């Protein structure tokens, strides 16, 4: 097994990231488009962390810090690269980013039906908080 590199995503990575998520991530998000990822990179250039080997994308995590909370999104590892410590390394990098910023607790968005994802988060020391539910509202939609 050859080594991989962790680095912050750059604007020229957007198409590769979107293709990677389509293949390796569970589900889709309203922000899974060029404009959404570009806004993320413009607002917080260090938030999207990539793992790659020889220029091939192996994993991603978004480590979002809003000055108050530490949020994790889009932790994904390519199916052919799983169980090699890539997800753990991405989370370590995200945790280090949060700790440096003064964050005290990280939370992760995990789809209910994503058994593999739930197992990975539990293995990383995360636990479900039953008292919380996510409430959402699409913005900019006619009729709101």
């Amino acid at each position: 097994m050859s080594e991989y590199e962790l680095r912050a995503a750059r604007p020229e990575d957007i198409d590769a990231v979107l293709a990677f998520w389509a293949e390796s991530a569970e589900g889709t998000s309203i922000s899974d488009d060029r404009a959404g990822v570009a806004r993320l990179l413009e607002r917080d250039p260090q938030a999207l962390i990539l793992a790659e080997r020889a220029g091939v994308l192996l994993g991603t995590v978004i480590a979002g810090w809003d000055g108050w909370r530490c949020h994790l999104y889009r932790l994904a590892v390519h199916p052919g690269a799983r169980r090699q410590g890539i997800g753990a390394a991405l989370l370590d990098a995200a945790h280090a980013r949060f700790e440096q910023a003064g964050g005290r607790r990280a939370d992760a968005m995990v789809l209910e039906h994503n058994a593999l994802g739930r197992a990975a988060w539990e293995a990383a020391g995360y636990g479900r908080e039953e008292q919380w539910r996510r409430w959402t509202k699409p913005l900019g939609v006619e009729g709101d």
Side-chain angles (χ1 to χ4, degrees):
M1 175 179 75
S2 61
E3 289 298 309
Y4 51 86
E5 171 190 10
L6 299 181
R7 66 172 179 84
R10 300 181 290 261
E12 59 268 25
D13 296 316
I14 293 173
D15 290 331
V17 166
L18 290 168
F20 176 82
W21 286 343
E23 179 180 6
S24 302
E26 182 72 25
T28 58
S29 168
I30 195 170
S31 300
D32 283 1
D33 57 31
R34 288 193 109 268
V37 178
R39 275 190 303 276
L40 171 67
L41 297 180
E42 183 178 317
R43 183 185 179 285
D44 188 349
Q46 302 301 308
L48 177 52
I49 304 168
L50 307 181
E52 65 180 10
R53 179 184 298 137
V56 176
L57 191 52
L58 301 176
T60 67
V61 69
I62 297 173
W65 166 250
D66 61 13
W68 180 257
R69 306 269 182 184
C70 307
H71 303 289
L72 293 161
Y73 311 91
R74 285 304 200 203
L75 175 63
V77 176
H78 188 277
R82 292 181 181 154
R83 307 203 53 82
Q84 296 177 27
I86 295 168
L90 286 163
L91 284 178
D92 287 347
H95 295 156
R97 171 178 157 77
F98 293 152
E99 289 171 12
Q100 183 177 26
R104 296 184 285 179
R105 178 181 62 191
D107 64 56
M109 301 285 294
V110 184
L111 292 170
E112 275 298 313
H113 71 274
N114 185 354
L116 180 64
R118 287 193 333 264
W121 286 107
E122 287 174 12
Y126 284 73
R128 181 184 174 128
E129 290 190 340
E130 292 295 332
Q131 71 273 25
W132 298 105
R133 291 293 178 263
R134 183 176 180 207
W135 292 47
T136 66
K137 177 184 178 187
L139 301 176
V141 177
E142 297 279 329
D144 280 343

